[in-house]
Amino acid sequence: GAGVSQTPSNKVTEKGKYVELRCDPISGHTALYWYRQSLGQGPEFLIYFQGTGAADDSGLPNDRFFAVRPEGSVSTLKIQRTERGDSAVYLCASSLMGAPGGELFFGEGSRLTVL
Amino acid sequence: GQQVMQIPQYQHVQEGEDFTTYCNSSTTLSNIQWYKQRPGGHPVFLIQLVKSGEVKKQKRLTFQFGEAKKNSSLHITATQTTDVGTYFCAGPFIQGAQKLVFGQGTRLTINP
């Protein structure tokens, strides 16, 4: 596709459930980022991939959060034992260049609501 | 401590007035980027500044990078209703880290 695609666009789940959020970056973009954005806040860095490897995962809040990018393209953010505080919009972005330079192209986001 | 501070947090102006947002870093930056997020939308890249003292213009928008490469500003001349949104600076605010960190943003609202 022409842009970054994220699915699902909306996810409502119950506390304690497992959730997967998918990101399909722009073709040819080697860098991929996951951010989390709460209402009225700036995007909060979670993890950055360069190719298949996580170059920086220092933003993952705890071990319930995990992300993979097995073939260097599509990435999946996995959240175990969801908590109400996990509710937010999860944004994925890709870039032709690695961090810290290079324009980020964002997807529309996946809105997660944990009841 | 806080790596980046963006001010003001909110700004409300009359259409036609000017608007400025400032981004201050505690570390020297290799580059800084600016993004705009419309209400309900996702961040969209506006520009990247790399050189000390650099000034770039995009129509009514003027972006500056400080001489010490620790601060930046975005100025909009004669605001229009289409300028409504939140403006974020983003950069490698944590020294030695590769991640791109976003500021808190300045939310601009405009009275037509």
Side-chain angles (χ1 to χ4, degrees):
Chain A
V4 177
S5 176
Q6 289 189 247
T7 55
S9 55
N10 273 287
K11 176 71 177 179
V12 180
T13 191
E14 293 179 341
K15 180 175 178 295
K17 298 290 188 183
Y18 170 79
V19 165
E20 286 191 354
L21 306 175
R22 175 189 166 106
C23 174
D24 199 343
I26 293 172
S27 178
H29 281 195
T30 58
L32 186 146
Y33 299 77
W34 283 100
Y35 289 86
R36 175 168 73 173
Q37 189 173 30
S38 299
L39 194 62
Q41 303 295 315
E44 174 195 4
F45 173 85
L46 296 177
I47 187 169
Y48 155 57
F49 287 91
Q50 185 59 254
T52 59
D56 189 330
D57 65 356
S58 61
L60 295 177
N62 51 59
D63 61 5
R64 295 187 297 105
F65 288 75
F66 188 71
V68 295
R69 195 186 184 197
E71 297 177 358
S73 178
V74 171
S75 175
T76 305
L77 178 65
K78 307 180 180 193
I79 310 173
Q80 297 178 322
R81 304 182 303 281
T82 50
E83 300 177 357
R84 292 195 179 88
D86 299 335
S87 296
V89 176
Y90 288 80
L91 294 166
C92 176
S94 69
S95 177
L96 194 56
M97 288 174 57
E103 170 183 356
L104 297 192
F105 293 83
F106 281 87
E108 297 288 340
S110 292
R111 180 178 297 277
L112 175 65
T113 303
V114 182
L115 301 177
Chain B
Q2 196 165 17
Q3 295 91 20
V4 56
M5 177 164 289
Q6 199 174 342
I7 54 172
Q9 190 175 359
Y10 301 99
Q11 184 78 58
H12 180 77
V13 300
Q14 290 289 128
E15 188 175 15
E17 291 181 340
D18 292 356
F19 159 76
T20 305
T21 174
Y22 301 90
C23 183
N24 298 304
S25 169
S26 56
T27 62
T28 303
L29 304 170
S30 57
N31 71 88
I32 194 162
Q33 299 179 12
W34 285 92
Y35 290 78
K36 177 184 178 182
Q37 186 172 24
R38 294 181 185 272
H42 57 275
V44 174
F45 176 84
L46 293 175
I47 208 155
Q48 176 169 283
L49 304 170
V50 178
K51 300 176 184 175
S52 169
E54 189 169 15
V55 178
K56 286 189 175 180
K57 292 191 176 186
Q58 290 179 350
K59 297 182 180 178
R60 295 177 294 104
L61 277 61
T62 303
F63 303 84
Q64 293 191 0
F65 202 8
E67 293 290 341
K69 302 183 75 173
K70 284 191 170 185
N71 55 70
S72 181
S73 66
L74 157 59
H75 179 83
I76 303 178
T77 304
T79 54
Q80 299 176 359
T81 55
T82 52
D83 296 325
V84 163
T86 302
Y87 293 85
F88 295 99
C89 60
F93 295 114
I94 299 173
Q95 205 156 31
Q98 297 192 59
K99 58 190 179 186
L100 196 66
V101 174
F102 280 72
Q104 303 90 332
T106 296
R107 183 180 169 194
L108 173 64
T109 54
I110 298 174
N111 205 22

